[in-house]
Amino acid sequence: MTCLFCKIANKTIPADIVFEDEAVIAFNDISPQAPVHILLIPKKHIENILEFNENDDRLLGKITGAIQEIAKKTQMDTQGLRVVTNTGEDAGQTVFHVHFHLLGGRSMQWPPG
Ligand code: 5GP
Ligand code: ZN
């Protein structure tokens, strides 16, 4: 098993975990791009958002619920947050286990680069 985020999900390699349930795990990004920069992943290996299927409805609900809970925990629910899932080469995806960047704690620009 070579996937970095699978290894984080099964605790083979350490991460600074901020939220976990049976389906998802969230941890601080090793190279934060904002005062709050958390990565939220399903524990199950899925390459990117295009690979979810109809059997993943419950998992997608878990992901949404985790985003809401983490936003509250980090006060990003009041000031705002940006949720990003880079998908494929052009978007700059570097780890091919789907992950949601939860970014906040500062104001941001649009459009992204
Ligand atoms: P992507 O570029 O695929 O959208 O995002 C991958 C993210 O994973 C990057 O923001 C990068 O900093 C983060 N990352 C890469 N390796 C590690 C690691 O070993 N631990 C943690 N916590 N984050 C990592
Ligand atoms: Zn994986």
Side-chain angles (χ1 to χ4, degrees):
M1 193 253 292
T2 56
C3 173
L4 175 66
F5 286 176
C6 281
K7 287 180 182 162
I8 288 178
N10 68 25
K11 317 261 172 78
T12 312
I13 66 168
D16 187 9
I17 295 165
V18 299
F19 178 88
E20 181 174 11
D21 67 17
E22 75 281 6
V24 303
I25 188 164
F27 48 92
N28 286 317
D29 196 292
I30 206 166
S31 174
Q33 302 302 311
V36 182
H37 187 172
I38 292 167
L39 299 174
L40 171 65
I41 66 170
K43 289 185 172 176
K44 155 174 127 165
H45 184 88
I46 296 172
E47 187 166 314
N48 63 44
I49 198 170
L50 302 178
E51 299 298 325
F52 284 104
N53 64 45
E54 64 278 9
N55 300 318
D56 294 317
D57 286 354
R58 192 180 144 72
L59 178 57
L60 286 162
K62 287 278 187 184
I63 288 168
T64 310
I67 291 171
Q68 292 167 354
E69 202 154 317
I70 294 164
K72 273 192 210 119
K73 217 169 164 173
T74 55
Q75 281 90 51
M76 295 193 295
D77 58 331
T78 52
Q79 285 297 105
L81 76 159
R82 185 169 290 176
V83 181
V84 173
T85 182
N86 296 324
T87 305
E89 196 181 339
D90 270 2
Q93 185 176 7
T94 60
V95 179
F96 292 88
H97 179 132
V98 67
H99 50 281
F100 297 86
H101 296 260
L102 277 50
L103 296 145
R106 65 168 170 83
S107 66
M108 292 179 203
Q109 306 300 312
W110 191 263

